[in-house]
């Protein structure tokens, strides 16, 4: 059942996939596929589309669509989608990181599509896709993707939202991963502080050319805006998209003061609305370059509100960090001057900008990278642990949500499904046990107990307890043959409890690299890209247990024995797991109760 169970998979592949046409395929979206075939088309009921022709009045100093204007359109489209689901007014709570992949010129069309991925209690995640279209050539480009959180309000009280029921494979994936993204948003600030506290960011200011340094105070911008009726939304509050546009404006000015050129906005790190403002409020917008790197700079922006000129207590409305670059005639980034931070608070912002850059680069690699392009073992580091954990869980949920699993065999109510997809071959085992789902989750979360039922786990050592939900283990497996070395694995185990009723318990497993656990001559280092368990409650004291494993072609030999016949390796291991759960159904699992 682990990542190297047996050596004869190739023998079984021909019989598995040659008989695929006669096997039963799992598909929860057959009705919707039929509708698509009939020309009716399935459309998410919360989906909203907006198309805008870019006019000269929408552009910036480079005759490109102003990002501020784009943010207004994005926020409007997302709000309409949120309100379509909620049936009442909604306000923007936050907008996640946005990476701009393409600029948009005058005369091109901007197409924005938004739909609700998941609703929680009173908040919901809205996914947004932005593309540009050239009317002359019919070419289209991806501009950016965004995720916004909206909160439903009715007469100043929060609204309990109805749940989203995903229909397509894409919707199921987004619905499942939305809970993990929500968790990631909540711990982001802690990640920055932990990184700075545990691993101080080293700076090479001593090696920098001081003659090309710009004092940070020279980039400081402060601007005030009076909120007028045209700036308000349909609820009377200041339109969130307008605030974001004003923030982009002052940030661009600050960036221009460093480079003395017209900068290009490349990324935005999370707008976070901390409170509303209304018509008549004065909004003070402040921006400063926090740090400059070789080809990019970070600008910090914050917004404060006050009502009367004599008012001394200002309300913090929003804040964000924006990354700019200066592009030459060949659209390549130019080298930027260094920044000299202000003493005290400026030095703190300077160090935090370096930490955010490291996290941003790691996140871009882990989250944005296609799974087929990612190495199996990614180095574990405080700057990427949140995103590596996120990727671990989301990869398993994405695998579980796929519709084209094929039932290959069934013996004694244990089912084996297979999936051949791109460069991967995956299998999925499923059974129902008479043990409560929460207890199953506790028993299987601690990998140290896995040798009790899985002979392919010879020994398991807990290397690092990252937090209450993530642990790193060193696993040793027996040799595949008499003349081979035993295998070892360094495994990140990410466990998640259900976010809502009907969600699965999740235990996601993937390989990571740790400096403290290098390869040794005694073992052959094995790797796994995506594997783990999902558990669903099937009734009182009944749980559906599903195990998933995904492997590249190079790891096929280490998956299992003959798949087509549901060999004794699969059957005996999974039945041993069932017996382990039944024998320990009343176990308090003290090793996990303290986590």
């Amino acid at each position: 059942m682990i990542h190297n169970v047996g050596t004869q998979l190739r023998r079984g592949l021909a019989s598995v996939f040659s008989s695929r046409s006669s096997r039963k395929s799992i598909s929860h979206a057959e009705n919707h596929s039929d509708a698509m075939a009939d020309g009716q088309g399935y459309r998410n009921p919360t989906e909203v589309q907006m198309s805008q022709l870019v006019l000269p009045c929408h552009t910036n100093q480079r005759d490109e669509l102003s990002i501020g204007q784009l943010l207004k359109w994005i926020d409007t489209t997302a709000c309409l989608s949120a309100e379509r689901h909620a049936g009442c007014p909604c306000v923007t709570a936050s907008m996640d990181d946005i990476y701009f992949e393409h600029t948009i010129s005058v005369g091109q069309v901007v197409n924005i599509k938004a739909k609700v991925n998941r609703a929680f209690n009173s908040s919901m995640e809205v996914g947004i896709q932005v593309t540009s279209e050239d009317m002359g050539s019919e070419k289209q480009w991806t501009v950016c993707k965004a995720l916004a959180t909206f909160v439903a309000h009715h007469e100043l009280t929060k609204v309990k939202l109805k749940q989203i029921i995903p229909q397509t494979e894409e919707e199921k994936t987004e619905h499942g991963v939305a809970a993990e993204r929500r968790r990631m948003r909540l711990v982001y600030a802690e990640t920055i502080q932990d990184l700075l506290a545990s691993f101080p960011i080293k700076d090479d200011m001593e090696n920098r050319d001081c003659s090309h340094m710009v004092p940070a105070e020279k980039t400081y911008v402060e601007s005030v805006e009076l909120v007028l009726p045209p700036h308000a939304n349909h609820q009377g509050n200041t339109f969130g998209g307008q605030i974001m546009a004003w923030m982009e404006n002052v940030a661009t000015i600050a960036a221009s003061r460093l480079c003395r050129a017209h900068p290009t906005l490349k990324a935005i790190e999370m707008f976070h609305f901390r409170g509303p403002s209304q018509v008549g409020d004065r909004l003070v917008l402040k921006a400063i370059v926090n740090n400059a790197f070789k080809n990019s700079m970070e600008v910090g922006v914050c917004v404060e509100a006050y009502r009367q000129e004599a008012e001394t207590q200002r309300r913090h409305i929003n804040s964000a960090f924006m990354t700019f670059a200066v592009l030459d005639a060949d659209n390549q980034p130019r080298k930027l001057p260094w920044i000299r931070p202000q003493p005290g608070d400026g030095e703190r912002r300077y160090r935090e900008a370096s930490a955010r850059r490291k996290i941003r680069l790691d996140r871009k690699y882990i989250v944005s990278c296609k799974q087929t392009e990612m190495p199996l073992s990614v180095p574990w580091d405080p700057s990427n642990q949140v995103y590596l954990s996120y990727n671990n869980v989301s990869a398993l949920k994405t695998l579980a949500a796929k519709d084209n699993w094929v039932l290959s065999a069934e013996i004694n109510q244990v089912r084996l499904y297979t999936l051949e997809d791109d460069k991967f071959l995956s299998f999925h085992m499923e059974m129902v046990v008479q043990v409560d789902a929460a207890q199953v989750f506790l028993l299987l979360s601690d990998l140290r107990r896995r040798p009790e039922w899985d002979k392919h786990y010879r020994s398991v050592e807990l290397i690092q307890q990252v937090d209450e939900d993530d642990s790193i283990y060193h696993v040793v497996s027996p040799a595949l043959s008499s003349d081979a070395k035993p295998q070892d694995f360094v495994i990140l185990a990410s466990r998640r409890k259900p976010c809502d009723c009907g969600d699965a318990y999740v235990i996601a497993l993937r390989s990571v690299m740790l400096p403290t656990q290098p390869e040794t001559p005694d073992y052959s280092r094995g790797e796994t890209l995506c594997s783990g368990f999902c558990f669903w409650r099937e009734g009182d004291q009944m749980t559906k247990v599903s195990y998933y494993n995904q492997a590249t072609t190079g790891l096929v030999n280490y998956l299992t024995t003959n798949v087509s016949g549901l060999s004794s390796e699969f059957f005996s291991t999974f039945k041993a797991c069932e017996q382990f759960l039944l024998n320990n159904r009343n176990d308090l699992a003290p090793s996990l109760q303290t986590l």
Side-chain angles (χ1 to χ4, degrees):
M1 289 297 292
I2 191 179
H3 331 289
N4 65 335
V5 187
T7 61
Q8 305 173 21
L9 180 61
R10 282 196 178 93
R11 296 184 216 171
L13 288 180
S15 58
V16 173
F17 297 114
S18 64
S19 60
R20 172 164 293 177
S21 59
S22 62
R23 299 291 189 184
K24 176 183 177 182
S25 176
I26 298 180
S27 175
H28 300 290
E30 290 179 354
N31 293 335
H32 303 288
S33 299
D34 293 341
M36 294 285 284
D38 294 338
Q40 301 174 11
Y42 165 73
R43 183 169 178 174
N44 188 299
T46 69
E47 182 180 302
V48 172
Q49 297 185 25
M50 175 188 288
S51 293
Q52 294 282 355
L53 179 64
V54 179
L55 303 175
C57 61
H58 301 139
T59 62
N60 57 22
Q61 67 276 11
R62 294 186 308 277
D63 293 325
E64 299 167 350
L65 174 64
S66 163
I67 297 297
Q69 179 61 62
L70 178 60
L71 290 170
K72 289 182 182 180
W73 289 338
I74 287 175
D75 191 56
T76 300
T77 311
C79 183
L80 292 174
S81 174
E83 292 186 347
R84 176 172 286 184
H85 177 68
C88 64
C90 296
V91 296
T92 311
S94 66
M95 190 168 291
D96 284 8
D97 307 346
I98 307 175
Y99 295 90
F100 299 98
E101 303 175 23
H102 196 275
T103 57
I104 308 172
S105 303
V106 173
Q108 293 182 340
V109 173
V110 180
N111 297 307
I112 305 173
K113 183 186 295 184
K115 60 184 178 66
V116 178
N117 291 331
R118 179 161 186 163
F120 300 97
N121 289 326
S122 60
S123 67
M124 68 199 94
E125 179 190 276
V126 179
I128 307 118
Q129 294 183 334
V130 182
T131 59
S132 60
E133 176 184 355
D134 186 87
M135 300 301 291
S137 63
E138 297 185 355
K139 292 183 178 179
Q140 293 195 16
W141 301 270
T142 297
V143 176
C144 66
K145 295 181 180 179
L147 294 164
T149 301
F150 282 81
V151 177
H153 286 273
H154 182 66
E155 296 180 354
L156 301 180
T157 60
K158 290 185 178 181
V159 175
K160 175 69 174 179
L161 294 170
K162 61 181 180 291
Q163 296 302 304
I164 292 286
I165 302 176
Q167 302 294 337
T168 66
E169 181 180 306
E170 178 187 1
E171 290 177 3
K172 292 172 188 174
T173 299
E174 293 296 340
H175 183 272
V177 176
E180 189 64 14
R181 285 192 289 255
R182 185 185 188 216
R183 176 184 182 274
M184 191 166 59
R185 294 181 194 111
L186 297 175
V187 301
Y188 178 77
E190 297 177 9
T191 302
I192 292 287
Q193 296 306 316
D194 290 346
L195 179 61
L196 289 171
S198 304
F199 295 86
I201 301 299
K202 296 181 180 179
D203 185 54
D204 58 350
M205 284 193 64
E206 295 180 357
N207 300 323
R208 294 183 176 182
D209 185 356
C210 295
S211 63
H212 288 82
M213 278 191 172
V214 176
E217 55 267 25
K218 284 194 173 183
T219 70
Y220 178 73
V221 179
E222 182 173 321
S223 179
V224 64
E225 298 284 352
L226 175 62
V227 181
L228 300 174
H231 303 141
N233 59 21
H234 53 303
Q235 305 168 50
N237 295 323
T238 312
F239 173 42
Q242 178 63 69
I243 295 177
M244 290 188 282
W246 283 334
M247 294 174 71
E248 186 267 341
N249 179 59
V250 295
T252 302
I253 296 172
S256 301
R257 288 181 176 174
L258 174 70
C259 60
R260 295 302 170 185
H262 297 315
T264 298
L265 182 58
K266 305 297 289 184
I268 300 175
E269 270 191 40
M270 190 180 284
F271 291 106
H272 184 190
F273 288 89
R274 292 173 170 81
S277 62
Q278 293 81 30
V279 173
D281 279 350
R282 283 76 167 167
L283 300 187
V284 179
L285 299 103
K286 302 176 183 179
I288 192 170
V289 176
N290 290 330
N291 203 340
F293 310 100
K294 183 178 180 180
N295 299 119
S296 65
M297 70 185 96
E298 181 193 276
V299 178
V301 193
C302 73
V303 184
E304 297 174 338
Y306 65 94
R307 192 70 180 176
Q308 301 295 335
E309 292 295 341
E311 188 176 335
T312 57
Q313 189 67 29
R314 295 180 177 181
R315 310 187 309 276
H316 187 185
I317 297 297
N318 204 334
S319 60
F321 300 99
M322 304 188 187
T323 301
F324 288 86
V326 178
L327 305 180
D328 59 21
D330 297 324
N331 210 35
Q332 297 299 310
R334 281 170 35 187
K335 185 176 180 180
L336 298 175
W338 303 116
I339 198 81
R340 182 186 295 118
Q342 296 172 300
D345 197 48
E347 292 176 345
R348 174 188 60 79
R349 294 195 305 268
Y350 182 90
R351 292 176 62 249
E352 289 180 352
S354 294
R356 278 188 292 270
R357 180 173 182 266
K358 178 170 175 52
I359 290 177
R360 186 164 56 248
L361 294 175
D362 286 339
R363 173 185 56 213
K364 186 176 182 181
Y365 175 71
I366 294 172
V367 178
S368 302
C369 185
K370 293 181 180 179
Q371 198 170 14
T372 55
E373 299 171 353
M374 183 183 294
L376 298 187
S377 291
V378 177
W380 176 265
D381 185 88
S383 65
N384 70 14
Q385 65 184 43
V386 171
Y387 301 98
L388 194 50
S389 174
Y390 160 81
N391 183 265
N392 189 21
V393 175
S394 62
L396 182 62
K397 288 186 174 182
T398 300
L399 183 63
K402 289 187 177 296
D403 284 332
N404 49 341
W405 287 100
V406 174
L407 178 61
S408 297
E410 181 175 2
I411 295 179
N412 293 344
Q413 298 181 329
V414 175
R415 293 182 173 186
L416 168 66
Y417 300 92
T418 55
L419 172 66
E420 191 177 21
D421 184 16
D422 197 14
K423 297 180 181 180
F424 300 105
L425 172 71
S426 306
F427 69 88
H428 162 206
M429 300 286 295
E430 184 178 280
M431 66 180 176
V432 176
V433 298
Q434 292 184 328
V435 183
D436 184 71
Q439 185 67 4
V440 172
F441 178 66
L442 285 174
L443 290 170
L444 297 184
S445 288
D446 188 353
L447 292 193
R448 290 171 295 185
R449 300 199 66 176
R450 184 126 172 198
E452 296 180 37
W453 59 270
D454 190 346
K455 68 179 182 180
H456 303 100
Y457 274 63
R458 193 174 76 182
S459 64
V460 180
E461 176 191 2
L462 177 63
I463 301 173
Q464 182 179 343
Q465 186 67 56
V466 181
D467 54 34
E468 64 179 11
D469 293 320
D470 293 273
S471 310
I472 300 178
Y473 296 90
H474 181 240
V475 178
V476 176
S477 295
L480 296 174
S481 61
S482 58
D483 58 346
K485 295 180 181 179
Q487 279 198 311
D488 72 334
F489 299 81
V490 179
I491 300 294
L492 167 65
S494 303
R495 65 183 207 138
R496 300 290 188 269
K497 294 180 180 179
C499 184
D500 289 316
C501 181
D503 281 0
Y505 290 86
V506 173
I507 303 171
L509 309 173
R510 68 152 299 143
S511 293
V512 293
M513 287 189 291
L514 277 180
T516 57
Q517 293 292 324
E519 295 186 45
T520 64
D522 298 331
Y523 302 107
S524 172
R525 178 57 54 90
E527 296 178 305
T528 179
L529 177 62
C530 174
S531 60
F533 290 94
C534 293
F535 315 122
W536 289 270
R537 278 198 168 91
E538 292 285 290
D540 187 30
Q541 300 296 311
M542 298 292 288
T543 302
K544 182 171 73 173
V545 178
S546 291
Y547 175 78
Y548 299 87
N549 199 315
Q550 180 183 62
T552 59
T553 306
L555 294 184
V556 162
N557 283 341
Y558 303 112
L559 267 177
T560 181
T561 53
N562 193 328
V563 175
S564 62
L566 185 57
S567 71
S568 59
E569 289 285 352
F570 267 126
F571 179 73
S572 61
T573 303
F574 219 54
K575 295 302 287 185
C577 177
E578 179 184 24
Q579 194 59 50
F580 166 78
L581 295 173
L582 291 172
N583 292 342
N584 295 277
R585 69 176 78 190
N586 298 318
D587 190 346
L588 295 179
S591 62
L592 285 172
Q593 296 290 346
T594 57
L595 293 181

